[in-house]
Amino acid sequence: MTQYGVDLLLVLILASLGLSALAIFISISRYRRNHPRASAMAGSGDDFATEAARKVLREFEKNGQSVDAALVTWSPDTLRKILADELPGAQVIVVSNREPYIHNETNDGGVELVVPASGLVSALEPITRACAGTWIAYGGGTADRTVVDGNDRVQVPPGHPSYTLRRVWLNEDEYQGYYLGFANEGLWPLCHIAFTRPIFRESDWEAYEAVNRKFAETVVAEARNERPIVLVQDYHFALLPRMIRERLPEAIVITFWHIPWPNSEVFSICPWRERILDGLLGSSIVGFHTQFHANNFTESVDRFMESRIERADAAISYGGQVTLVHSYPISIEWPVDLLNALPSVEECRMRVRKRFRIPAGAKLCVGVERLDYTKGILDRFHALEELFIRHPEMVGKVVFLQVAAPSRGTLPAYKQLHEECLRRAEELNQRYGSQSYRPVVMVAEHHSQAAVYELYRAADICLVTSLHDGMNLVAKEFVASRDDEQGVLLLSTFAGASRELLEALIVNPYDAAMMSEAMLQALIMGPDEQHERMRRMREIVRDNNVFRWAGSMLLDAARLRKRGELDRVTALYDRPAGVTGDNVVSMFERKQAVGFR
């Protein structure tokens, strides 16, 4: 679509928002004329006029979706235009545990730049670039401290800086308790149905709370005014939204929970469940990948907190504040610039097959993820063996290449998983392999994003068979990498991506027999069917790309800001006789009020 087309479609969206605002003011004015006693209701619950305004806004605040949005070609320019037109002057601050660029020392005394192959980073990095924002993250690289300025900031990306990376330093006790302890031994298994028992320790909770407070202080220090838009990422920062809200009451805080949210019965296991819910309800918006997870969150709040659930509005009223609870399916950048630097699919196939010694007559299946018990790696091994048992003629005709980047290796559950994967792969190779053929190639090492995309392009089949996942961007990355419109995606029904990529072969990873038959179907699928399935999936990823994900949240943030301004107008209109002045408290006074100097 041309730039003219993008501008025209954005004008339609903005005009729709403008008409909505006009309708709101007209509705209020008419109500005032017809109900002169309305102001008498102020103070007896929710302000009546504000409630009327909220009702008019309902149709414009549901999940950031509109007919107009589907017509827009979402791109960095689209995000920049939304910010300029709908949120002029707004500062965008991203907060995550993982940083988008890591600086490590090399053996020769130099500094090596590492771009982590992370779904969260790959989704958020192009957005932060487009918004010229500030990204706050834990600085864990061995050379991270040496490259920052006096304010712990570094401009990124290197060579073409477009935003600021602000690093936060944690000592070993903080990192062990907050990250490895409460976040990954507690919340991670609690939220994933993978039958690993969560571990909760008082000391881990105290570290988690302290680190969240440290990040809140950093957000306030980086805020240029008292009205930034703060995008809080994931389960590492459940307490952060409330802490930001206490210091910056006029900020728009959008918290995105990247992993599943369990049902209320499972969530009740957590000893600090009310504190976590209170922290998240400090957000203006809480986002999830799927509506199912958003519903689970709402049910947890309904069960454990004194709140009012506005199901028609997908909102929760708690402590005098309204929090929207929406689903925003995350995605990836489109088009993928990285593909421009990669060779053709045929060249990628030749290089990968040579590197891993894949026999000429064998189909290549790949799995790419962190080494984690939620990803279903062992279940793929079971399915491969089931394929060989049911269809012995497939022995020698398929190789499964599993790339599993080491992760959280000091935790017992991850150590055990690593050992079990290596043992199981060796068993399969001894049972079904030969001197010239290994059915399983296990690679437990980190790969660059370019190397990962090369594997995608070389694969005949990609297996994304998570036992439980919020979205899983590997599925979308594989689809985006296949500009030849070939290859087959096996996708777990328990990954959020299965709600969108319906042309994948959807499988239950717990059913080895079903998985083996799906693998056989993928192995014998003809090029015409592959083309038709891949073409449709590529259309989905293209239209629902990461810029639409971010744009939907930013448009909702703009609506909230407009609603806040409207609430202030109606509050002034309803002010009792004899009261003068405004109700705006300066940022300095707010910081003093909460003891924040």
Side-chain angles (χ1 to χ4, degrees):
M1 182 180 287
T2 64
Q3 183 61 44
Y4 174 78
V6 171
D7 291 344
L8 179 61
L9 290 169
L10 281 171
V11 167
L12 290 174
I13 294 175
L14 300 178
S16 174
L17 289 171
L19 289 172
S20 303
L22 179 61
I24 291 166
F25 281 107
I26 291 173
S27 298
I28 292 174
S29 300
R30 287 177 178 172
Y31 181 84
R32 295 293 188 186
R33 287 198 300 271
N34 297 329
H35 300 79
R37 296 179 59 195
S39 60
M41 300 186 68
S44 62
D46 284 348
D47 178 79
F48 199 87
T50 303
E51 185 64 26
R54 286 175 179 166
K55 289 180 179 178
V56 178
L57 276 162
R58 282 178 182 167
E59 294 306 313
F60 306 97
E61 293 185 340
K62 292 181 180 176
N63 297 329
Q65 303 298 322
S66 70
V67 174
D68 297 328
L71 301 175
V72 177
T73 299
W74 292 89
S75 68
D77 288 339
T78 316
L79 292 186
R80 282 188 281 266
K81 193 160 184 63
I82 289 172
L83 285 168
D85 294 349
E86 289 299 297
L87 295 162
Q91 178 191 13
V92 176
I93 300 175
V94 175
V95 184
S96 71
N97 176 74
R98 180 167 296 184
E99 55 184 337
Y101 295 94
I102 302 170
H103 292 90
N104 285 327
E105 297 174 352
T106 60
N107 293 331
D108 60 1
V111 175
E112 175 189 29
L113 179 70
V114 177
V115 180
S118 159
L120 183 147
V121 169
S122 64
L124 285 168
E125 212 271 338
I127 295 164
T128 318
R129 274 192 274 116
C131 299
T134 299
W135 189 319
I136 299 172
Y138 161 58
T142 55
D144 276 354
R145 289 180 184 268
T146 64
V147 300
V148 297
D149 62 17
N151 296 309
D152 298 324
R153 302 181 184 124
V154 60
Q155 299 302 309
V156 292
H160 302 281
S162 57
Y163 68 92
T164 301
L165 173 58
R166 167 65 190 275
R167 286 171 169 151
V168 177
W169 314 115
L170 303 179
N171 60 41
E172 185 63 24
D173 289 341
E174 288 174 325
Y175 182 79
Q176 289 285 337
Y178 138 80
Y179 179 75
L180 293 176
F182 190 77
N184 288 309
E185 284 191 295
L187 288 180
W188 180 267
L190 178 74
C191 292
H192 288 86
I193 302 173
F195 307 105
T196 297
R197 177 174 175 153
I199 299 172
F200 295 108
R201 308 180 187 90
E202 181 77 29
S203 59
D204 290 345
W205 168 255
E206 292 171 355
Y208 185 84
E209 188 175 23
V211 170
N212 272 246
R213 189 173 297 112
K214 180 178 287 192
F215 272 82
E217 293 168 0
T218 306
V219 169
V220 175
E222 291 297 318
R224 294 195 294 263
N225 55 48
E226 56 187 13
R227 305 183 73 198
I229 296 173
V230 186
L231 305 178
V232 177
Q233 305 302 311
D234 227 352
Y235 62 101
H236 310 94
F237 299 112
L239 305 180
L240 183 59
R242 176 66 61 197
M243 294 174 175
I244 295 173
R245 177 72 54 212
E246 290 170 351
R247 294 157 173 80
L248 300 173
E250 294 185 34
I252 296 291
V253 181
I254 303 174
T255 301
F256 197 85
W257 194 265
H258 288 264
I259 63 177
W261 188 275
N263 64 46
S264 61
E265 187 70 18
V266 171
F267 184 68
S268 69
I269 294 171
C270 181
W272 299 279
R273 60 198 183 196
E274 289 88 359
R275 292 285 306 280
I276 288 172
L277 292 173
D278 176 80
L280 290 169
L281 290 174
S283 310
S284 313
I285 302 171
V286 179
F288 297 90
H289 292 301
T290 69
Q291 190 59 47
F292 182 71
H293 296 149
N295 293 345
N296 280 349
F297 174 78
T298 300
E299 291 301 325
S300 297
V301 173
D302 195 24
R303 179 173 177 181
F304 298 114
M305 310 297 284
E306 289 290 336
S307 60
R308 187 175 69 190
I309 309 299
E310 303 285 357
R311 297 188 188 277
D313 298 333
I316 298 172
S317 296
Y318 170 76
Q321 179 193 335
V322 177
T323 299
L324 304 183
V325 181
H326 289 170
S327 63
Y328 304 92
I330 199 171
S331 194
I332 62 172
E333 187 177 11
W334 186 285
V336 180
D337 289 340
L338 186 63
L339 293 182
N340 296 327
L342 289 176
S344 67
V345 169
E346 279 306 312
E347 178 66 21
C348 289
R349 287 175 63 85
M350 291 174 57
R351 287 162 56 164
V352 169
R353 295 176 78 90
K354 181 179 180 181
R355 185 185 318 145
F356 295 104
R357 294 181 292 174
I358 310 298
K363 294 287 186 74
L364 176 61
C365 303
V366 300
V368 180
E369 50 259 308
R370 289 184 305 104
L371 187 63
D372 193 284
Y373 52 78
T374 66
K375 301 303 181 182
I377 297 173
L378 286 172
D379 299 270
R380 294 173 200 166
F381 292 162
H382 296 325
L384 181 63
E385 182 168 35
E386 188 72 19
L387 174 71
F388 291 157
I389 293 172
R390 288 168 169 258
H391 305 280
E393 72 277 8
M394 299 306 298
V395 175
K397 296 182 179 178
V398 56
V399 172
F400 176 38
L401 171 61
Q402 176 63 62
V403 175
S407 174
R408 307 164 190 165
T410 59
L411 298 181
Y414 289 83
K415 285 182 179 179
Q416 181 180 344
L417 174 67
H418 185 211
E419 293 168 0
E420 179 67 12
C421 284
L422 293 177
R423 184 186 64 78
R424 192 78 178 96
E426 183 59 27
E427 286 178 355
L428 289 171
N429 286 334
Q430 289 190 5
R431 189 172 302 155
Y432 299 102
S434 64
Q435 286 188 340
S436 60
Y437 169 65
R438 289 186 302 162
V440 178
V441 179
M442 180 82 182
V443 183
E445 60 187 41
H446 293 279
H447 280 61
S448 69
Q449 200 70 2
V452 167
Y453 268 83
E454 185 180 60
L455 294 176
Y456 293 150
R457 288 167 72 78
D460 296 292
I461 303 167
C462 180
L463 282 79
V464 181
T465 56
S466 312
L467 304 181
H468 203 191
D469 235 328
M471 175 57 68
N472 197 307
L473 292 179
V474 168
K476 295 187 176 184
E477 289 174 350
F478 173 68
V479 169
S481 74
R482 299 312 296 258
D483 49 12
D484 64 334
E485 297 186 340
Q486 292 293 294
V488 184
L489 174 63
L490 261 70
L491 180 57
S492 169
T493 187
F494 303 117
S498 67
R499 307 298 192 273
E500 296 179 79
L501 303 178
L502 302 180
E503 285 72 32
L505 300 183
I506 308 298
V507 298
N508 177 357
Y510 291 94
D511 187 342
M514 176 194 183
M515 281 255 286
S516 69
E517 292 303 314
M519 290 176 68
L520 179 65
Q521 182 183 350
L523 290 166
I524 64 176
M525 186 181 295
D528 290 343
E529 184 178 353
Q530 290 184 39
H531 165 77
E532 190 60 26
R533 288 175 179 269
M534 187 61 70
R535 181 185 63 80
R536 292 176 185 173
M537 290 191 289
R538 285 174 61 82
E539 288 174 355
I540 292 294
V541 178
R542 179 197 67 199
D543 294 341
N544 298 329
N545 61 33
V546 72
F547 303 111
R548 181 172 183 176
W549 174 73
S552 297
M553 289 190 289
L554 291 176
L555 284 172
D556 277 348
R559 295 179 184 110
L560 284 175
R561 182 140 288 173
K562 285 179 171 60
R563 187 171 76 179
E565 292 166 357
L566 178 61
D567 286 352
R568 282 192 289 274
V569 169
T570 55
L572 288 171
Y573 192 92
D574 285 339
R575 181 178 292 142
V579 176
T580 60
D582 59 51
N583 61 350
V584 177
V585 181
S586 71
M587 176 189 263
F588 175 75
E589 292 169 328
R590 285 198 179 105
K591 288 180 179 178
Q592 286 194 324
V594 296
F596 196 76
R597 302 293 193 272

